[in-house]
Amino acid sequence: MTKTIGVIGGMGPAATVDFFAKLLEATPAERDQDHLRVLIDCNPRVPDRNAAIAGRGPSPGPQLADAARGLERAGADVLVIACNTAHAFAADIQAAVDIPLLSMIEATADAALAGNRSRVGVLAADGCRRAGLYQRAFAERDVEALFLNDAAQQDFMQLIYRIKAGDIGDASRRAMERLAISLNARGAQAVIAACTEAPLVLNADTLATPVISSTDALVARVVAFARAG
Amino acid sequence: MTKTIGVIGGMGPAATVDFFAKLLEATPAERDQDHLRVLIDCNPRVPDRNAAIAGRGPSPGPQLADAARGLERAGADVLVIACNTAHAFAADIQAAVDIPLLSMIEATADAALAGNRSRVGVLAADGCRRAGLYQRAFAERDVEALFLNDAAQQDFMQLIYRIKAGDIGDASRRAMERLAISLNARGAQAVIAACTEAPLVLNADTLATPVISSTDALVARVVAFARAG
């Protein structure tokens, strides 16, 4: 019997749809009944994670813990969060439930290790950077994490909020590509889309180095976990 | 305060992703927090609806009722089912909860009324036809419902199960288009994609008459309901 996956989502909702779609694509299935059961709490009312981490807004921790409890009660055997930055509150979430929370940060950092890389670029939101999530994950793996410089990081955050507003057109795609290329130019052997809005516009085909999607990395990990039964 | 939408899904999962994606697109939003909260139980293990209605398998009624109760307990204010055929078990579902269940069949039949139509084509699965869901809805509205002839209906069901297996390529698109055109040829003033797998491959642009998607009709109804607060 496979496990039921609980998804804490809504940060943003389009990233949750993307995660859900990729979860299906990654599940070998010939008929409905071969697919995994997935419970999703897409709650876009969770307070802004970046504002909270910067000390400019309320913590989303209690609402994320509530979502975790609700998913466990509804039958989830394992939890995931379809948002990198929200992993700053992973301890609040794990403390609220008895089922495991699979980390998007760990799954992504492990995926980035392939190919013996020593330096990777990380496209991450302000809150994710400030909370040190990827810095810690890569320090443990002895890989250097390169982040955008200050001006580019401001552009990145504006772009993320534009994507959240639904703008995933060519201009957004080109802007994300330019930011990724700036990390390549500084020696990144791969670029990590470490914000779940990034894969909505990042086209790996036009970059000189691989793009590692945090969404895909977590999908692969949770599908393997759920199918292990 | 907007209402929280509970989605009974998984029939099939790709149709649930499609419903979820269209729900987001239909919600006016500039930032995450403008979106509606959506709870989804994507449970592909629900027994086959068509087999049950034909008397060849167990009823999905109890599992659908369980999903409804779980979504209500998790905070849903209103329920929808992202599957037309499963509406044959709507009474079981409604009896299990105190919150309203908005009907995809009613929403779609209302959408089809626009333009003073007297005859509409209905692409519906065997179980949906056998349960008389659209026949009743159109009889109440004094509109003639045209269904596929027997041979075409068999092709349609094979196509639906192919789509459920992930085949949404050009051959599937052309096959669905041919079926829709056969209804046009018999005088249908519009064709209703009355199975949530149909909009995954039906391209309205190439038909002589409008295509009415049951997914879009329910999305429009539930977004209006939830935003009415």
Side-chain angles (χ1 to χ4, degrees):
Chain A
M1 190 64 181
T2 59
K3 298 189 184 74
T4 296
I5 301 172
V7 180
I8 301 173
M11 305 168 283
T16 302
V17 171
D18 188 47
F19 181 85
F20 186 19
K22 285 174 177 159
L23 195 56
L24 284 195
E25 283 167 26
T27 309
E30 284 301 311
R31 50 184 202 131
D32 289 357
Q33 288 76 12
D34 297 332
H35 278 283
L36 298 166
R37 185 175 178 201
V38 184
L39 301 167
I40 302 176
D41 185 344
C42 180
N43 186 0
R45 304 295 160 73
V46 170
D48 187 292
R49 286 67 61 195
N50 293 295
I53 295 166
R56 288 184 284 101
S59 170
Q63 283 193 33
L64 295 172
D66 274 350
R69 273 186 290 264
L71 290 165
E72 182 181 45
R73 202 162 46 227
D77 299 308
V78 56
L79 291 178
V80 293
I81 315 170
C83 169
N84 287 275
T85 305
H87 282 71
F89 306 93
D92 294 343
I93 295 166
Q94 186 62 79
V97 293
D98 293 321
I99 54 178
L101 170 68
L102 295 190
S103 164
M104 178 176 257
I105 312 296
E106 296 293 316
T108 306
D110 283 342
L113 280 187
N116 274 326
R117 296 178 184 117
S118 59
R119 181 185 280 183
V120 296
V122 183
L123 293 169
D126 286 352
C128 184
R129 287 181 61 168
R130 196 184 283 255
L133 301 175
Y134 277 97
Q135 292 91 323
R136 268 196 300 280
F138 281 114
E140 283 167 9
R141 288 164 180 81
D142 204 20
V143 171
E144 185 188 350
L146 277 182
F147 293 90
L148 295 170
N149 65 34
D150 290 350
Q153 180 69 23
Q154 283 188 23
D155 292 346
F156 178 74
M157 289 307 289
Q158 286 174 8
L159 180 53
I160 290 297
Y161 283 102
R162 245 162 58 203
I163 297 168
K164 284 177 180 288
D167 181 356
I168 55 170
D170 278 348
S172 292
R173 290 177 187 277
R174 279 194 300 272
M176 189 64 81
E177 198 178 291
R178 276 195 301 274
L179 293 168
I181 288 171
S182 79
L183 293 168
N184 288 157
R186 286 163 53 207
Q189 295 152 327
V191 173
I192 299 182
C195 173
T196 49
E197 269 78 23
L200 301 179
V201 299
L202 194 58
N203 185 350
D205 303 340
T206 53
L207 291 186
T209 57
V211 171
I212 291 153
S213 157
S214 53
T215 302
D216 292 346
L218 182 58
V219 160
R221 178 153 296 186
V222 75
V223 168
F225 184 88
R227 286 172 50 86
Chain B
M1 190 63 181
T2 58
K3 297 188 185 76
T4 295
I5 300 171
V7 181
I8 300 173
M11 304 167 286
T16 303
V17 170
D18 189 47
F19 181 86
F20 186 20
K22 285 174 176 157
L23 194 58
L24 284 195
E25 283 168 24
T27 310
E30 284 300 312
R31 49 182 203 133
D32 290 356
Q33 287 77 10
D34 297 333
H35 277 283
L36 298 166
R37 185 176 179 202
V38 184
L39 301 167
I40 301 175
D41 185 344
C42 180
N43 186 0
R45 304 295 162 77
V46 170
D48 186 290
R49 286 66 63 195
N50 293 295
I53 294 166
R56 291 186 283 101
S59 170
Q63 283 193 33
L64 294 171
D66 273 351
R69 274 187 289 263
L71 290 165
E72 182 181 45
R73 202 163 47 226
D77 299 308
V78 56
L79 290 179
V80 293
I81 314 170
C83 169
N84 286 275
T85 305
H87 282 72
F89 307 92
D92 294 343
I93 295 167
Q94 186 63 79
V97 294
D98 293 321
I99 54 178
L101 170 68
L102 296 189
S103 165
M104 178 176 258
I105 312 295
E106 297 292 315
T108 305
D110 284 343
L113 280 184
N116 274 326
R117 297 181 183 114
S118 59
R119 181 184 282 182
V120 297
V122 183
L123 292 168
D126 287 351
C128 184
R129 286 180 63 169
R130 195 183 282 255
L133 302 174
Y134 277 98
Q135 291 91 323
R136 269 196 299 280
F138 281 114
E140 283 168 9
R141 287 164 179 80
D142 204 19
V143 171
E144 184 187 351
L146 276 182
F147 292 90
L148 294 171
N149 65 35
D150 290 350
Q153 181 69 23
Q154 284 189 22
D155 293 346
F156 178 73
M157 289 307 289
Q158 284 174 9
L159 181 53
I160 291 297
Y161 284 102
R162 245 162 58 203
I163 297 167
K164 284 179 181 289
D167 180 357
I168 55 170
D170 279 349
S172 292
R173 291 177 187 277
R174 279 194 303 270
M176 189 65 82
E177 199 179 289
R178 277 195 301 273
L179 294 168
I181 287 171
S182 79
L183 293 168
N184 288 158
R186 286 164 53 206
Q189 295 153 330
V191 172
I192 300 182
C195 174
T196 49
E197 268 79 24
L200 301 179
V201 299
L202 193 58
N203 186 348
D205 302 341
T206 53
L207 291 185
T209 57
V211 171
I212 292 153
S213 157
S214 53
T215 303
D216 291 348
L218 182 59
V219 161
R221 178 152 297 183
V222 73
V223 168
F225 184 88
R227 286 172 51 88

